Amino acid sequence: MSVPGWARAGRLLWRLGGFVVVWLVAQLLFESFAGPLWGGVSALVGEPVPMYPVSMLIGALAGTLVVFRQAEPQSWTQLGFAEGSWHWRRLTVGALLGTALIGGTALLLWLGGWLRFERVAPPVFMQDTWWGTALRLLVVLGPAALWEELAFRGTLYSAFREAFQESAGDTASATVAQNGANVAARLVTSVLFGLVHLTNPGAGVRTTALVMLAGWGLALVRERAGVPAAFTAHLAWNWIMAAVLHLPVSGLPFATPGYRATVHGPDWLTGGSWGPEGGLAAAFVLGGAVLWASRPRRTSHDLQTSHA
């Protein structure tokens, strides 16, 4: 017996609402208890250490465990964490992919004369070391990338894909329903991913569209290699921008010990203060990668037919 549309919609709303409520409660509780500890850590390292990436990760994980693993049980495979998804090969492929894409974007800007490097005087970075800054950025950007991937490419993607697949299953074959559900889940979660970044400094229509494109690409990585690979791709992209190129990440500036990259040219091309991920160069690189990943893949049957 098929489930009525109103029942499917109600179940999806209950899941999403429960996920958000548990997330917020867990995050607030964690921040209340961990606040003094974080103050001590900040005093120890001599500068403020942001707690929000970790508290957001705690909230997203709690929402996933309570709603999608207990109240509305789904397997880890459905959530994008299939057996073997944490294997070092998949994680490495994800990291190399993220590095190649942001590296290609920076290279394109550099070859065009729109990206240059300049030295930074010691007073600007207060005698900080490159390695110390790179490590702190990894501690900040790692949890941030993980909660975003867990929430958008993991839990939310799974919820929307199941809802769309159940809806399409009434009138379509299993394969058509699954493919359509994947596309729909990619679209919805990518739009939500872009809208969340509207709160970042300098966000606008162009930058939001580019974040949505990145979300679509990360969803493709999730489908092929799992959420962990999407996480390492996401982290590598952000960390290379912040720690290696010393560029803003989604409008957020970070420390630039010793040198920094600067962009010269129209914002629509270079991304301006948002960072290179907000310009046409990134759109060209990301768009090309997405088109390549979305191309029809030939099966063994296709190869046998072509050689017949």
Side-chain angles (χ1 to χ4, degrees), residues 14 30 44 64 67 73 85 159 162 164 169 174 196 247 277 293:
W14 135 247
F30 176 79
L44 182 63
T64 300
V67 177
S85 61
E162 182 176 322
F164 286 120
V196 164
L247 285 164
E277 59 186 339

Side-chain angles (χ1 to χ4, degrees), residues 30-42:
F30 176 79
E31 291 176 350
S32 298
F33 287 103
L37 172 63
W38 241 254
V41 172
S42 298

Side-chain angles (χ1 to χ4, degrees), residues 71-92:
E72 289 280 349
Q74 285 193 317
S75 68
W76 284 116
T77 297
Q78 290 174 295
L79 292 170
F81 296 89
E83 183 178 356
S85 61
W86 285 103
H87 192 278
W88 67 268
R89 285 195 181 89
R90 293 194 177 192
L91 299 181
T92 302

